[in-house]
Amino acid sequence: MKQQQNAKTWVLASHNRGKIRELEDILAPRGLELKSAADINLDEPEETESTFEGNAALKSEAARAATGLVCLADDSGLSVDALDGDPGIYSARWAGEPRDFGRAMKRVHEKLEALGAADRTARFVCVITVSEPGQETRVYRGEVEGEIVWPPRGDAGFGYDPVFQPKGHDRTFAQMSSEEKKSMSHRGRALEAMIAAEFKA
Ligand code: IMP
């Protein structure tokens, strides 16, 4: 049994309400209280690393240093094969400021068109890190394979969901219910891996 099961409070190094709610649903039945970066006035550090793993660890380790508690963070994005993995760790940044994912999706499509790329394969990646005082940061990765479609389809979800069609399906993530998406998504898989390892008997 892992040591952190004695800890009563975990911290999620994020201000994202959706992520916080999702994790609360998982931790509450296990008797763990979740605090968010907003609850304890944690600043989110700048994401200066070059990998999803690096950026997630940077956030969970900064939160651990500030709180002395078990801290979680995640980093995720869309990786398009013909674009050498872009937008990748820059997925949010491709949407500009203020965030406009219509623009980001168009940018992906236009770059593929400019390359005349027949290969439209892509994957969503999510990395969750758990940083516990006195221990190595633990890393969990989830991926889902699919392809970029155009034009965008569906109104559900967020980000690049309307242009991402998971392999073996004829609807995009934005045409699926949140439950259906979660059953196959990169985030769902990373969470599953994290839960299986962190809460094993
Ligand atoms: P972050 O992990 O919160 O930094 O988000 C990275 C960015 O990746 C998001 O802003 C979205 O643009 C994109 N992204 C990550 N996961 C998904 C998803 O499930 N659907 C659509 N876009 C996603």
Side-chain angles (χ1 to χ4, degrees):
M1 195 182 292
K2 290 198 180 254
Q3 186 188 320
Q4 83 279 354
Q5 289 189 327
N6 299 325
K8 288 283 173 261
T9 304
W10 282 26
V11 172
L12 178 63
S14 170
H15 289 263
N16 182 315
R17 294 290 336 153
K19 288 182 188 175
I20 294 159
R21 250 194 315 272
E22 191 175 46
L23 206 61
E24 251 163 7
D25 289 347
I26 292 166
L27 297 183
R30 295 177 162 89
L32 293 171
E33 186 195 351
L34 185 69
K35 291 201 183 296
S36 73
D39 289 336
I40 51 182
N41 276 330
L42 264 187
D43 286 335
E44 283 187 274
E46 210 188 320
E47 299 185 8
T48 51
E49 293 288 330
S50 58
T51 61
F52 294 112
E53 282 80 359
N55 281 327
L58 191 138
K59 291 183 269 188
S60 59
E61 287 171 6
R64 174 180 61 187
T67 64
L69 296 169
V70 179
C71 295
L72 290 100
D74 78 343
D75 200 42
S76 59
L78 175 70
S79 179
V80 181
D81 292 321
L83 304 182
D84 294 328
D86 275 347
I89 59 165
Y90 304 107
S91 292
R93 281 166 266 185
W94 273 34
E97 229 21 280
R99 299 274 187 251
D100 176 354
F101 282 99
R103 175 165 58 187
M105 289 187 285
K106 196 151 176 256
R107 195 167 158 198
V108 169
H109 169 67
E110 285 175 352
K111 280 183 179 283
L112 286 172
E113 289 288 293
L115 287 170
D119 175 14
R120 300 183 70 93
T121 54
R123 70 195 49 73
F124 272 124
V125 178
C126 177
V127 170
I128 297 175
T129 52
V130 179
S131 295
E132 177 171 359
Q135 297 198 15
E136 290 280 313
T137 291
R138 299 184 286 275
V139 179
Y140 305 99
R141 186 183 180 98
E143 296 189 3
V144 56
E145 302 285 334
E147 64 176 330
I148 302 299
V149 299
W150 196 262
R153 301 199 308 262
D155 306 311
F158 67 98
Y160 297 85
D161 279 345
V163 292
F164 184 82
Q165 184 164 285
K167 199 171 172 180
H169 293 263
D170 58 7
R171 287 166 299 135
T172 67
F173 268 175
Q175 293 174 301
M176 295 182 179
S177 68
S178 61
E179 279 309 307
E180 188 179 7
K181 176 183 167 186
K182 200 167 149 197
S183 72
M184 67 186 90
S185 80
H186 49 313
R187 192 165 294 100
R189 287 175 179 164
L191 269 174
E192 245 173 55
M194 187 274 280
I195 292 160
E198 295 293 325
F199 299 107
K200 63 178 177 252

